[in-house]
Amino acid sequence: MLFNKDTISIGFATNSKDMNKSSYRIWVDDLNSYFKELKKKSTIGDMSASVIIHPKSGYFEFDPKKLTGVINPNSDDVAKLKQADFVIVGSVEERESIISHNKNVFIFPLIEKMYLNQELKQHKESDDLVIGYHGNPNHLNHFNIGLKNALER
């Protein structure tokens, strides 16, 4: 497929604009906003675009006349990974789990725009140290740098 980079339009294949879901805010709303800042035509819900980016979950059919991207897909869905023109993930680990099935894997940082330029929290001295972990508990079993043991201690 040949595309003129100046006329590419990007469409996010979702009509649900639920700002209460962080995955929507980061993967769709923020990424759409960044494309617009780069002066690219990008729209949420536009299936007529030349590049279609599918959300994190859900069934969809690929259109061979368009470039098709998949956001943070399940690495077990090898058929979907191989069929996509590109994949967008949030970490190096996710990229590594997918790269053998699709060479076009891009990392989009999971930092919400709404938290940029916020005043940094001032920490107070305390005897308690609280460490938060956001993610699937199963991911802790895959840390090979000792973080799992440190968190458990």
Side-chain angles (χ1 to χ4, degrees):
M1 275 181 271
L2 293 175
F3 289 95
N4 180 334
K5 67 178 178 137
D6 297 323
T7 60
I8 286 179
S9 58
I10 302 162
F12 287 87
T14 182
N15 289 318
S16 172
K17 298 180 179 182
D18 188 351
M19 292 298 281
N20 291 316
K21 293 184 177 179
S22 60
S23 60
Y24 172 80
R25 290 191 310 267
I26 295 170
W27 295 113
V28 178
D29 194 65
D30 286 356
L31 187 52
N32 181 57
S33 175
Y34 284 123
F35 283 138
K36 287 180 175 186
E37 287 177 21
L38 294 170
K39 306 292 187 231
K40 299 298 176 194
K41 182 181 178 200
S42 183
T43 311
I44 298 168
D46 181 6
M47 297 303 291
S48 68
S50 55
V51 177
I52 303 297
I53 301 177
H54 291 278
K56 184 174 170 172
S57 60
Y59 171 79
F60 55 87
E61 293 184 20
F62 289 93
D63 183 341
K65 296 176 186 160
K66 300 173 186 250
L67 284 176
T68 303
V70 183
I71 296 172
N72 200 25
N74 183 331
S75 61
D76 294 335
D77 194 346
V78 175
K80 186 184 285 186
L81 293 171
K82 288 183 176 182
Q83 198 172 11
D85 294 301
F86 63 94
V87 178
I88 301 170
V89 297
S91 70
V92 172
E93 292 81 7
E94 289 170 326
R95 180 182 182 275
E96 291 303 310
S97 73
I98 289 173
I99 197 78
S100 64
H101 304 298
N102 190 310
K103 64 181 179 167
N104 298 313
V105 182
F106 302 95
I107 299 172
F108 180 65
L110 300 176
I111 302 169
E112 292 189 61
K113 283 185 88 169
M114 65 189 275
Y115 295 112
L116 294 176
N117 302 317
Q118 293 288 317
E119 187 175 322
L120 292 177
K121 179 179 178 181
Q122 297 299 313
H123 292 276
K124 299 175 186 171
E125 281 293 321
S126 172
D127 290 336
D128 296 328
L129 175 64
V130 178
I131 299 173
Y133 171 76
H134 173 83
N136 183 323
N138 203 21
H139 293 163
L140 289 175
N141 296 326
H142 295 91
F143 282 133
N144 60 1
I145 55 174
L147 181 59
K148 177 181 180 284
N149 292 335
L151 290 174
E152 287 176 344
R153 280 195 299 256

